[in-house]
Amino acid sequence: MLGALAVAASWSVVFVAAAQPAAADTQAKQWYLSAMQAEDMWKVTTGEGIKVAVIDTGVNPSTPSLQGQVLKGVDVTGAPGDETDDYHGHGTTMAELIAGTGKEGGLKGLAPGSKIIPVRMSDGEFMKKNSTIFSDTAKAIRAAAETDAHIISMSFGSSRYLDSNREAVKYAESKGKLFLASVGNEGHESNKRVYPASYPEVVGVASADRKGKVSYYSQHSGSVDVASPGSDVPGWCDSSFKSYCDGDGGTSAAAAIASASAALVWSLHPDWTANQVLNVLFDTAGRDWKKGETSKYLGHGLIRPSMNVLKGKGDPGDPDISPLTKERTTGPADSSEKPAGSASPQPAKNGTEGDKPVAAEETKSSGDESQLGLILGVAAVVVVLGGVAYAVVRRRKAA
């Protein structure tokens, strides 16, 4: 209990009470924007000049929130259509959480000035439908690395370690990309390592709720590097793009929001390397344990880009040394897996029956709706900290 309260307090370090701005229904549910002080950060930077490659189910550039935000991308599926044909709606949700303008009441991205480069890959259901037997994950990662994106955001994962995928990840690192991926939503069940988040060159992102606690389903098998808002984040219901649905965005949304956080910092410091951006995000993360240690559940802590954007805090460190592997980014990593963290505050609690994620196929998304094994859930309402941290938390609703 003390650990949970302390972690919540970590969020509140940068949460300042403020009236909620009038917004469309969907945006009003983006609680993290207010919590992360998005409006104040946007006065300094909106992520302009930064491109994010979204490896997912495709990105629909025609939604009101993404019009003008999506650049030419790549489709590696070999199936009918291209990278703009989102066969589920998941990839479009991730893109909007990063760079959505919020037009016509759509999702507002944390970095609305950034641009999206879509890379469409196959998930398990899509592979079955198109009689595909080989994973195209490595091809998707290499395709993203070949673009001029600064950041690669991937809300997909599999429990299979593949040398081809690892080599693709190392190739992306050699190209100077900052690669973030979701750690998975089965922390209350199998809790296996998920890749690519578990590869040492990739930033594994866990999901946290509005109280700053790790989401009960967020996996914690030694892959977590940082935590980001994921609980109670809405998204597109399906590929018809007729409406948004409530539920948990899960670690999928968390990875997208963390990617947007990186975009804001990188936009403010365009001469920095991926290593320096990540060093600052780790250095300024909210935590109640000793600096330098990591939590099994939250990694370095709760991501807080406002600490750099608004307060100038964070040590960028050596531009050539990865804060993940401690190696030069042009050289090979020493290990094939990440070590487990040394600090482990506040284990996740099980949610209600309706919160349980549905198991997906071989390659699965890590948040959002239930059709592909994506998560549906009901976030806990702030109680003990309602008058303290959350009242303070209401400063910004989004991210």
Side-chain angles (χ1 to χ4, degrees):
M1 181 60 176
L2 290 176
L5 292 173
V7 172
S10 296
W11 269 126
S12 67
V13 169
V14 292
F15 293 170
V16 183
Q20 293 182 32
D25 216 26
T26 299
Q27 290 175 23
K29 295 173 182 177
Q30 290 185 265
W31 59 268
Y32 57 92
L33 288 178
S34 174
M36 296 179 79
Q37 296 180 280
E39 291 288 348
D40 289 338
M41 287 195 290
W42 293 336
K43 294 175 183 177
V44 180
T45 177
T46 61
E48 59 274 10
I50 302 301
K51 300 173 184 177
V52 184
V54 175
I55 301 177
D56 215 290
T57 60
V59 175
N60 180 358
S62 299
T63 68
S65 191
L66 285 180
Q67 290 178 13
Q69 297 297 90
V70 182
L71 305 175
K72 174 63 179 174
V74 185
D75 172 37
V76 301
T77 67
D82 59 26
E83 69 274 12
T84 64
D85 295 311
D86 185 347
Y87 57 82
H88 182 266
H90 186 265
T92 302
T93 295
M94 298 305 108
E96 289 190 7
L97 291 175
I98 296 169
T101 63
K103 185 179 179 181
E104 296 183 20
L107 288 172
K108 185 72 177 279
L110 181 62
S114 64
K115 300 296 182 183
I116 299 297
I117 298 177
V119 178
R120 188 173 78 152
M121 63 168 284
S122 305
D123 74 344
E125 289 297 325
F126 193 75
M127 289 171 68
K128 283 184 178 180
K129 181 179 179 181
N130 291 280
S131 300
T132 304
I133 59 175
F134 295 107
S135 169
D136 50 23
T137 300
K139 187 183 292 186
I141 294 171
R142 286 184 176 275
E146 287 291 345
T147 71
D148 61 350
H150 302 76
I151 298 164
I152 297 175
S153 182
M154 186 170 175
S155 295
F156 265 60
S158 168
S159 60
R160 295 180 62 192
Y161 179 104
L162 296 175
D163 289 336
S164 58
N165 292 347
R166 174 71 192 285
E167 290 304 313
V169 164
K170 291 166 69 175
Y171 177 68
E173 181 189 55
S174 74
K175 300 287 284 186
K177 311 302 183 184
L178 178 54
F179 195 159
L180 301 96
S182 50
V183 298
N185 299 322
E186 297 175 355
H188 62 307
E189 295 177 342
S190 61
N191 194 39
K192 296 178 180 179
R193 282 179 178 269
V194 167
Y195 301 92
S198 292
Y199 294 125
E201 301 84 3
V202 178
V203 183
V205 185
S207 171
D209 64 19
R210 65 181 71 207
K211 292 192 289 184
K213 294 172 59 179
V214 63
S215 305
Y216 80 90
Y217 49 76
S218 188
Q219 281 167 241
H220 46 276
S221 52
S223 304
V224 179
D225 293 303
V226 72
S228 181
S231 290
D232 206 19
V233 176
W236 284 107
C237 298
D238 51 43
S239 59
S240 69
F241 300 103
K242 293 180 179 178
S243 61
Y244 292 102
C245 283
D246 293 341
D248 266 16
T251 60
S252 277
I257 293 166
S259 298
S261 297
L264 291 175
V265 173
W266 212 336
S267 174
L268 194 60
H269 308 281
D271 295 331
W272 280 4
T273 65
N275 296 325
Q276 291 175 300
V277 173
L278 187 55
N279 262 316
V280 165
L281 291 176
F282 284 173
D283 193 34
T284 58
R287 53 184 167 265
D288 68 334
W289 55 90
K290 186 178 179 181
K291 183 178 178 180
E293 292 185 352
T294 54
S295 159
K296 179 168 69 172
Y297 301 99
L298 300 173
H300 288 271
L302 302 162
I303 201 163
R304 302 184 302 175
S306 64
M307 294 298 283
N308 179 261
V309 174
L310 300 180
K311 299 184 179 182
K313 295 184 179 296
D315 179 9
D318 192 317
D320 300 318
I321 301 298
S322 167
L324 294 168
T325 65
K326 309 304 180 185
E327 300 286 335
R328 289 197 172 273
T329 50
T330 53
D334 286 337
S335 62
S336 60
E337 293 189 335
K338 296 176 181 176
S342 55
S344 301
Q346 185 247 314
K349 295 181 180 179
N350 287 340
T352 62
E353 197 67 29
D355 290 334
K356 294 183 179 179
V358 181
E361 298 298 331
E362 185 67 35
T363 303
K364 52 194 172 187
S365 309
S366 299
D368 211 359
E369 308 306 313
S370 63
Q371 295 176 359
L372 292 180
L374 311 177
I375 299 217
L376 287 173
V378 180
V381 179
V382 177
V383 181
V384 176
L385 297 176
V388 186
Y390 186 58
V392 203
V393 167
R394 299 283 302 255
R395 162 124 191 204
R396 191 168 294 279
K397 272 200 175 191

